[in-house]
Amino acid sequence: MPRSTRLLPLLIALLGVAALLTPLTLARAVAPPAQSVTSGADFATTAWQDPWDFSNSSDMLLDRGPSQGLVNPAIGGGMLSFAISRSGYASPLWAGYPGALPIGRDGAIAANKLNAATYTRLHMRIYVSAYVAVGLSWSTCLGMGGTCSGGMTFGLQAGWNDVDRKIAPTSSSGARWSGMLAGLRLALTAPSGSANVRIDTMRIYQPTAAGQLTWASPDSASAKLWWTDVAGSLTTSEGQHAGVVSSAVPSSSSGHPVATNVSGYPPRTYFWSVSGSGAKVYLGQTVPQPIPVIDSPGVAGCQDYATSHLGHPWTFTSAGRLAGRGNVSGLTFTSAGVLGATNAAPQRNDPWINLPIARGGIDGRVYHRLTVVESYDGAFNLASAPGGGSMARVLWQQPGHLALSQTNDLVTYSGKRTLS
């Protein structure tokens, strides 16, 4: 906290009487009361109770299709990191493959669509090693292109960038930011040829007046508004966890208060006024907002058929837990019920297992949701060739019918995933 350094002259007159001296004190600048402001609701947190903060692999699909041209993409350390050679893109909201069964966070599912009338602004904290041109595009249909798609563009300078802007198309052609959106793509182009990219947070959010912060310089010098997501004192250097609020108009002095809407920042973000002389003062924070998790009812449903009718769930502790298998070899089972196998002859591109069912079959009016936890070795590849076929189907047979019914393709992206 700055201290006053101006000394007032003190005249003591001695007029033949004793002078009484009282203590002289220097006033210390008083910090303003801490303010509590509110973050605007963001799409990812509302839709999935999981913000795009890159704390887990579910935050973004990094396989080819949802992403393109990303070199060594990875989620870790609270960031999405990758490199681009000329250009690449990622899909915060992936509509899914045409003809495939929409699952998970696919934008083709009605509950996963983004309401453009509600969420109108983009906030992003992103690092680039060289100048990068960014295109944010959106679509109301399953494909990214044509009359159902629109987009906006902006540039990023080398270093950490604090982006907060209204979402609106750059061109008069293409779809407006309106309606229920099924797809969202973030494309990056490096004119210099390549760039390293790190994204700390991304929010498509709803601005709120409760996010307005009133502040001023802590002294007579011009000041900027800084943020940090680390509790405690502020280190005034741009990085993953601190930076200047780019949308804030500077305050010229302590007598020049200004207002800045900071509702684009996540909950638990702290704000500081920092003057050109180096003085800084804590202003307040966006209030913590616990994320509610809805665990029932869930997409997986409730009562389990196998447990109710077979006396145990469909877990795989031995070959006796299977009703049949084909085109597989090297079967393994674990005490936790995990089945491992490798595709094999005679039809290497069609491995399968049959699940046991109780006498009388399955009442499809009651049991009509299936959840599978799966993973595989190798890269994601949908080609109909060795190394490809990263997909599955569920088949069943009705009484009196010889032919099997089947679902559309279940695309199995890389990593351990739960498909419902």
Side-chain angles (χ1 to χ4, degrees):
M1 186 68 64
R3 296 177 182 269
S4 173
T5 57
R6 187 176 60 171
L7 299 179
L8 298 177
L10 182 65
L11 177 63
I12 302 176
L14 300 178
L15 300 176
V17 295
L20 179 63
L21 301 182
T22 58
L24 179 67
T25 61
L26 299 179
R28 185 178 186 182
V30 178
Q35 302 174 62
S36 293
V37 289
T38 302
S39 291
D42 74 283
F43 165 72
T45 301
T46 303
W48 306 311
Q49 297 83 55
D50 184 16
W52 285 320
D53 59 2
F54 306 105
S55 61
N56 62 79
S57 60
S58 297
D59 284 342
M60 199 86 75
L61 288 171
L62 301 180
D63 294 312
R64 183 179 177 88
S67 68
Q68 182 83 23
L70 306 187
V71 181
N72 298 323
I75 293 176
M79 292 188 295
L80 167 60
S81 304
F82 56 87
I84 55 172
S85 178
R86 291 295 178 186
S87 63
Y89 68 76
S91 302
L93 180 61
W94 167 242
Y97 281 99
L101 190 68
I103 54 175
R105 299 186 179 184
D106 286 357
I109 299 174
N112 293 337
K113 291 184 184 294
L114 190 157
N115 188 339
T118 299
Y119 305 101
T120 59
R121 293 188 68 89
L122 165 69
H123 181 92
M124 184 166 58
R125 183 66 173 169
I126 180 171
Y127 168 87
V128 291
S129 62
Y131 175 83
V132 165
V134 178
L136 177 70
S137 56
W138 54 85
S139 178
T140 56
C141 59
L142 300 188
M144 298 296 294
T147 58
C148 64
S149 297
M152 72 177 190
T153 58
F154 53 92
L156 300 174
Q157 300 300 322
W160 280 100
N161 292 259
D162 210 52
V163 178
D164 196 298
R165 57 176 58 223
K166 181 178 175 61
I167 304 175
T170 303
S171 171
S172 58
S173 62
R176 313 297 292 177
W177 179 263
S178 64
M180 302 299 292
L181 306 179
L184 197 64
R185 177 181 292 175
L186 190 71
L188 304 100
T189 302
S192 62
S194 62
N196 296 319
V197 181
R198 298 195 292 270
I199 304 177
D200 177 64
T201 55
M202 179 175 177
R203 304 178 83 236
I204 305 294
Y205 75 96
Q206 179 184 31
T208 172
Q212 182 163 292
L213 183 74
T214 302
W215 62 283
S217 172
D219 56 23
S220 60
S222 178
K224 293 182 179 180
L225 181 63
W226 279 70
W227 68 270
T228 180
D229 59 10
V230 179
S233 60
L234 171 72
T235 299
T236 52
S237 59
E238 292 275 359
Q240 180 185 358
H241 299 290
V244 175
V245 177
S246 60
S247 59
V249 176
S251 168
S252 60
S253 67
S254 58
H256 179 216
V258 294
T260 304
N261 191 299
V262 293
S263 57
Y265 287 84
R268 294 184 178 87
T269 302
Y270 307 89
F271 297 96
W272 300 74
S273 172
V274 181
S275 72
S277 65
K280 54 188 176 182
V281 61
Y282 173 65
L283 300 169
Q285 72 168 117
T286 52
V287 296
Q289 296 174 351
I291 299 176
V293 177
I294 302 173
D295 55 14
S296 182
V299 66
C302 46
Q303 184 177 355
D304 173 53
Y305 164 80
T307 301
S308 299
H309 291 74
L310 298 176
H312 56 78
W314 279 327
T315 53
F316 309 103
T317 54
S318 68
R321 290 292 182 93
L322 299 176
R325 61 184 184 270
N327 303 323
V328 295
S329 65
L331 268 69
T332 60
F333 304 89
T334 72
S335 58
V338 178
L339 163 67
T342 303
N343 58 313
Q347 292 179 276
R348 294 181 61 86
N349 66 338
D350 192 23
W352 55 268
I353 62 170
N354 279 349
L355 298 173
I357 60 175
R359 185 182 298 274
I362 300 174
D363 187 346
R365 297 167 300 179
V366 176
Y367 302 100
H368 46 79
R369 296 172 182 264
L370 177 67
T371 295
V372 180
V373 181
E374 56 78 31
S375 64
Y376 52 86
D377 297 329
F380 174 77
N381 188 338
L382 290 177
S384 180
S390 300
M391 50 156 288
R393 292 189 184 95
V394 179
L395 297 88
W396 65 94
Q397 188 177 42
Q398 293 178 313
H401 293 258
L402 295 178
L404 291 171
S405 300
Q406 63 179 339
T407 64
N408 283 347
D409 300 342
L410 284 167
V411 178
T412 55
Y413 299 102
S414 60
K416 185 176 180 179
R417 298 189 179 272
T418 299
L419 311 179
S420 291

